[in-house]
């Protein structure tokens, strides 16, 4: 969660300084994705009690008293942060594409396919994990489909403004090939897990 938060912060700062539409979109997707996953993890851990911040023997709140209070705190902070992040993602997307109803289609073109691709890629990667189906379902579904569900709110949410900005990200075959190759390398190297 800490690494996701740090990556989100760095990507956000770089996004604010980026100039080209492609670079801005890539950095926007990166900061929003990592921020959603970090905040979502607080919600997930607080509600379910599973994970690094759960009350289990290896969990972050394991040695603390009154686990249920800590879990309520985690879930509350996570929900508040996630709600703020969804609003911030909608607002920052508006700085790139505009805020008029005419931007509805481009918002959907950005949000929905990206969300679906994230989830499918994560599940495919985790199929390489020899530990079992639970490991595939919990981290992949929770962090990718669950953690990034904010994109389902960002994509259709159009502020009622009047600006429609020129925002062009052309198809880029080399970038597509690089993305698929990086996903495959990630799946082959880290999918089976690192053993110590």
């Amino acid at each position: 969660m800490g690494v996701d938060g740090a990556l989100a912060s760095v990507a956000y700062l770089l996004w604010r300084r980026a100039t080209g539409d492609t670079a801005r979109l890539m950095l926007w997707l990166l900061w929003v994705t990592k921020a959603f996953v970090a905040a979502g993890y607080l919600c997930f851990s607080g509600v379910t009690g599973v994970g690094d911040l759960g009350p289990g023997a290896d969990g972050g709140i394991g040695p603390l008293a009154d686990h249920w209070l800590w879990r309520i705190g985690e879930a509350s902070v996570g929900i508040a942060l996630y709600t703020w992040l969804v609003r911030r993602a909608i607002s920052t997307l508006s700085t790139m594409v505009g805020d008029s109803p005419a931007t509805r289609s481009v918002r959907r073109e950005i949000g929905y396919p990206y969300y679906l691709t994230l989830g499918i890629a994560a599940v495919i990667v985790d199929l390489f994990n020899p530990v079992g189906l639970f490991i595939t379902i919990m981290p992949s579904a929770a962090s990718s489909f669950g953690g990034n569900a904010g994109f389902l709110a960002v994509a259709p949410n159009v502020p009622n403004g009047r600006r429609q900005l020129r925002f062009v990200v052309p198809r880029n075959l080399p970038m597509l090939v690089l993305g698929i190759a990086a996903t495959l390398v990630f799946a082959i190297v880290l999918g089976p897990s690192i053993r110590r």
Side-chain angles (χ1 to χ4, degrees), residues 28-29 32 36 82 85-94 103-104 106-108 110-112 148-159:
W28 182 84
L29 289 169
V32 173
F36 278 170
Y82 203 95
L85 285 168
V86 168
R87 291 182 181 140
R88 188 72 185 133
I90 292 166
S91 170
T92 53
L93 182 56
S94 294
T103 65
R104 185 180 312 276
V106 73
R107 289 169 182 274
R108 290 179 173 176
I110 290 170
Y112 292 143
N148 287 302
F151 280 105
L152 297 177
V154 172
N157 199 316
V158 182

Side-chain angles (χ1 to χ4, degrees), residues 29 33 113-123 140 143-145 148 151:
L29 289 169
T33 301
Y114 180 73
Y115 170 74
L116 189 59
T117 302
L118 276 177
I120 291 171
V123 170
S140 296
S143 71
S144 297
F145 283 116
N148 287 302
F151 280 105

Side-chain angles (χ1 to χ4, degrees), residues 51-138:
D52 296 339
L53 298 178
D58 295 330
I61 63 172
L64 302 173
D66 299 321
H67 292 158
W68 64 275
L69 279 175
W70 286 97
R71 286 179 57 191
I72 289 171
E74 285 176 9
S76 299
V77 169
I79 290 167
L81 182 58
Y82 203 95
T83 302
W84 179 81
L85 285 168
V86 168
R87 291 182 181 140
R88 188 72 185 133
I90 292 166
S91 170
T92 53
L93 182 56
S94 294
T95 66
M96 296 189 296
V97 301
D99 57 8
S100 78
T103 65
R104 185 180 312 276
S105 63
V106 73
R107 289 169 182 274
R108 290 179 173 176
E109 285 178 36
I110 290 170
Y112 292 143
Y114 180 73
Y115 170 74
L116 189 59
T117 302
L118 276 177
I120 291 171
V123 170
I124 289 171
V125 167
D126 276 348
L127 289 175
F128 286 84
N129 195 312
V131 176
L133 190 58
F134 178 78
I135 292 296
T136 298
I137 292 172
M138 289 303 285

